[in-house]
Amino acid sequence: MQVKKFEAKTMKEALELVKIHLGPEAIILSAKDSHKGFGLMGEKSVEVTAAVTEETLRKKKIAESKLREDLRARFQQIPASRQKEFINRVYSRKAEEARELATVGAAAQARDVSLTPELRAQLKGMRYIDISDDTAPAQRVSGRDRVRRAAARARMASADILQDNKRPASPPQAKAEVKSSEVAALESQVRELKQLIEQFQKVPQVPLSSHPGAEWGLMPEMAPAFHRMTGRGIQPSIVNSILKRAQTEMDPEAMKKPALVDAWVVRDLLHTMEASPNPLQGRYHVFIGSTGQGKTSTLVKFAAHLLLKERRTIAILSVDTIKVGAAEQLKTYAQILNVPFAVVRRPEEWRVAEEKLKNVQHILVDTPGFSLKTMEEADWLKRMLPSGELNRTLHYVQSALARDEESFDLASRYQMIGLHDVIFTRVDEAKTLGLLLNFQDRFHVPIHSLGFGTKIPEDFELATRERIVDLVLNLSRTNQREVHP
């Protein structure tokens, strides 16, 4: 006996699940409202418990296996009475085929035929009427023909049961016989259920509901958190990993309260996400990344932050001799900030710059935007960067508007150069900020700082774990910074 629970928003949907999974002859044991909540917003649901015998369920599976995919979908939509008629018809034909095979063997023995392996292979699948009086079959039926005939019979059965044409009514006597056999079968099933119902509550049940996260094996209590986190752009695999830990560590009663689940997630992210522990570390701060990510504007914001808020001495250098006007634009910013500026065109010029700027605390270096699709670009960039002996930090600049796949592809190419941390720009323009968590989970680098707009240095801030979690989960319900006069 198969006993299962089904949970759905309405009774109609629950009964449809019963018909699909257990078949038209399933018996409803109980139906009640579920007060624990269902789906994304904790809506009320209906819980139905149904049972069916193993034999009946096996007949249903045999009948469905005879249908093509397109007919199987139609079969699920037809009324239960017509489903039952189709199942009985297919099962009866399968039993008839089995009897025919048994008749072939009996006929061979009755005619005192020696069943050699070759003859046994020929007789398999033949009807008694097709066997001749001598020791060999009158006509061989190939395996391919038998498959074709079986498929044709299945198509005829499915077409008969699925068509909408009216059929002539069965004779009253036949109806009475069918009804009598159905009543006897139901009485037998009721007797079995009476013995089973007392122990039913002890049997572990898994509701066949389709709550968010069910395909990952998450419990229904985790559905609201799964929906909110994936809605923030966090990859489902990462959400699954977090909520699986929550299921293991949280109390079962606490998991029923979405606010407590959210609080656990926040605490977990505060321990796992990383911000640069010392964002000012390093004398050379090199900004790398592809075109359009905001390297130059981020460099200027960081320079203003060091100069005005941290009271550090700085200089600005550029190795971008490829983009037209890049050096002139950066030179203008350097003049506004009143800090030294120079363009490095050859690797050996770094020694000269180091000698002339030996009293400067921080040197900020701008680089051209490369996609690094060729080894020539990668080799050129490696040669032009300041030596690792000069206490350098490589800041990878990434726009928060990029899609995960694109950002991962570009950052993986820059791994050969080296990534010490990542700076996210255009944070205020992104609707979701799951990329911050996804990127860190993929490359395991801390987040250095965040860029929000065009104001210098107001729209720039050094990253903290609290600020990152706030942005990723949208805890303060806004990504906008305060408006400055």
Side-chain angles (χ1 to χ4, degrees):
M1 180 70 67
Q2 290 275 355
V3 181
K4 291 187 177 181
K5 284 183 181 179
F6 300 85
E7 186 180 5
K9 292 183 179 179
T10 64
M11 179 62 70
K12 180 179 179 182
E13 294 178 3
L15 293 178
E16 283 295 323
L17 288 173
V18 172
K19 186 176 73 170
I20 292 173
H21 291 278
L22 299 184
E25 297 189 66
I27 299 176
I28 306 300
L29 300 181
S30 66
K32 61 181 181 179
D33 293 331
S34 178
H35 299 287
K36 65 181 181 180
F38 174 81
L40 310 183
M41 305 303 295
E43 300 176 356
K44 291 184 178 180
S45 61
V46 176
E47 185 179 280
V48 174
T49 303
V52 69
T53 62
E54 298 286 351
E55 179 67 17
T56 303
L57 188 59
R58 187 172 68 87
K59 290 181 180 180
K60 171 182 175 294
K61 292 180 179 179
I62 292 174
E64 289 180 343
S65 66
K66 300 294 183 180
L67 292 171
R68 300 195 310 267
E69 290 296 330
D70 56 338
L71 293 179
R72 192 172 302 166
R74 293 179 56 193
F75 174 76
Q76 300 292 349
Q77 303 298 324
I78 64 176
S81 59
R82 296 178 65 188
Q83 282 191 2
K84 178 181 177 181
E85 180 184 349
F86 172 72
I87 292 171
N88 292 335
R89 182 175 302 178
V90 172
Y91 189 77
S92 298
R93 289 181 176 173
K94 182 176 179 63
E96 182 180 352
E97 292 176 1
R99 288 194 296 270
E100 288 179 358
L101 293 176
T103 303
V104 172
Q109 292 180 359
R111 301 179 191 189
D112 195 21
V113 176
S114 177
L115 288 175
T116 63
E118 293 79 9
L119 182 57
R120 187 180 294 110
Q122 295 177 10
L123 288 173
K124 185 177 181 180
M126 293 185 62
R127 297 180 303 169
Y128 178 85
I129 194 173
D130 294 330
I131 302 176
S132 62
D133 293 335
D134 54 11
T135 59
Q139 180 181 5
R140 296 186 179 182
V141 181
S142 66
R144 181 177 299 179
D145 291 337
R146 288 196 298 272
V147 172
R148 289 176 177 173
R149 292 178 184 179
R153 287 195 294 270
R155 285 195 299 269
M156 291 175 61
S158 60
D160 290 342
I161 196 66
L162 293 174
Q163 67 181 359
D164 294 329
N165 297 333
K166 295 183 178 179
R167 298 179 178 274
S170 302
Q173 182 178 359
K175 288 185 177 180
E177 293 177 355
V178 171
K179 185 175 181 180
S180 176
S181 62
E182 291 180 353
V183 171
L186 286 175
E187 290 176 348
S188 176
Q189 294 178 6
V190 169
R191 284 193 296 269
E192 294 179 12
L193 290 173
K194 285 181 178 179
Q195 300 174 0
L196 184 64
I197 199 68
E198 296 178 357
Q199 302 178 353
F200 171 71
Q201 295 297 334
K202 301 179 181 180
V203 179
Q205 302 292 324
V206 180
L208 296 178
S209 57
S210 55
H211 60 269
E215 67 274 18
W216 294 90
L218 294 174
M219 300 170 61
E221 290 81 358
M222 296 295 164
F226 183 90
H227 177 256
R228 282 192 292 272
M229 294 176 71
T230 53
R232 292 296 300 162
I234 305 175
Q235 293 184 346
S237 59
I238 300 177
V239 177
N240 172 59
S241 177
I242 295 173
L243 296 183
K244 281 288 180 65
R245 293 197 298 271
Q247 288 183 172
T248 303
E249 299 179 12
M250 290 187 67
D251 181 82
E253 290 300 321
M255 286 192 296
K256 297 179 181 180
K257 300 179 180 180
L260 295 182
V261 177
D262 292 343
W264 190 97
V265 171
V266 171
R267 187 186 66 177
D268 183 75
L269 289 180
L270 286 173
H271 284 87
T272 55
M273 296 203 71
E274 295 183 46
S276 296
N278 187 3
L280 306 184
Q281 183 178 5
R283 184 161 183 262
Y284 284 81
H285 294 268
V286 184
F287 295 79
I288 60 176
S290 62
T291 304
Q293 303 301 314
K295 294 188 304 300
T296 303
S297 58
T298 300
L299 183 150
V300 174
K301 291 178 182 178
F302 189 43
H305 176 86
L306 292 172
L307 188 66
L308 302 177
K309 294 187 177 181
E310 304 293 340
R311 302 299 180 182
R312 304 290 182 95
T313 58
I314 66 171
I316 298 177
L317 302 181
S318 175
V319 297
D320 189 358
T321 57
I322 298 175
K323 182 179 178 180
V324 177
E328 287 75 11
Q329 179 186 16
L330 201 56
K331 181 179 179 181
T332 302
Y333 283 120
Q335 290 175 347
I336 295 174
L337 296 174
N338 193 26
V339 297
F341 172 81
V343 178
V344 177
R345 293 180 171 82
R346 292 182 298 275
E348 54 270 20
E349 293 181 3
W350 285 111
R351 293 196 303 269
V352 179
E354 175 67 15
E355 179 64 26
K356 291 185 177 182
L357 301 174
K358 58 184 179 181
N359 295 324
V360 175
Q361 292 176 293
H362 297 285
I363 300 174
L364 282 59
V365 182
D366 189 30
T367 63
F370 283 148
S371 59
L372 298 187
K373 291 185 177 180
T374 63
M375 289 304 299
E376 289 77 9
E377 291 181 345
D379 293 339
W380 185 92
L381 187 58
K382 286 180 180 179
R383 290 196 310 271
M384 292 303 300
L385 292 181
S387 172
E389 300 175 355
L390 296 178
N391 189 17
R392 72 182 187 184
T393 300
L394 302 182
H395 304 293
Y396 181 76
V397 183
Q398 172 64 58
S399 170
L401 298 178
R403 293 184 296 181
D404 288 4
E405 296 78 9
E406 296 173 350
S407 61
F408 293 169
D409 182 48
L410 283 170
S412 62
R413 301 174 200 167
Y414 273 89
Q415 279 187 307
M416 68 179 72
I417 307 296
L419 304 179
H420 292 149
D421 53 42
V422 58
I423 299 175
F424 285 99
T425 61
R426 306 180 72 177
V427 173
D428 57 316
E429 300 179 40
K431 292 183 178 180
T432 60
L433 292 168
L435 177 61
L436 276 66
L437 176 56
N438 300 338
F439 190 96
Q440 191 167 90
D441 181 79
R442 176 69 175 270
F443 296 100
H444 306 288
V445 294
I447 298 177
H448 177 271
S449 53
L450 305 164
F452 291 86
T454 59
K455 293 182 180 179
I456 301 174
E458 293 86 355
D459 291 339
F460 174 87
E461 66 179 68
L462 299 177
T464 63
R465 291 184 178 183
E466 294 77 10
R467 182 59 166 154
I468 297 170
V469 174
D470 177 30
L471 291 171
V472 171
L473 298 180
N474 196 25
L475 298 179
S476 58
R477 298 293 185 267
T478 177
N479 293 333
Q480 304 294 329
R481 293 170 56 81
E482 296 180 1
V483 178
H484 299 274

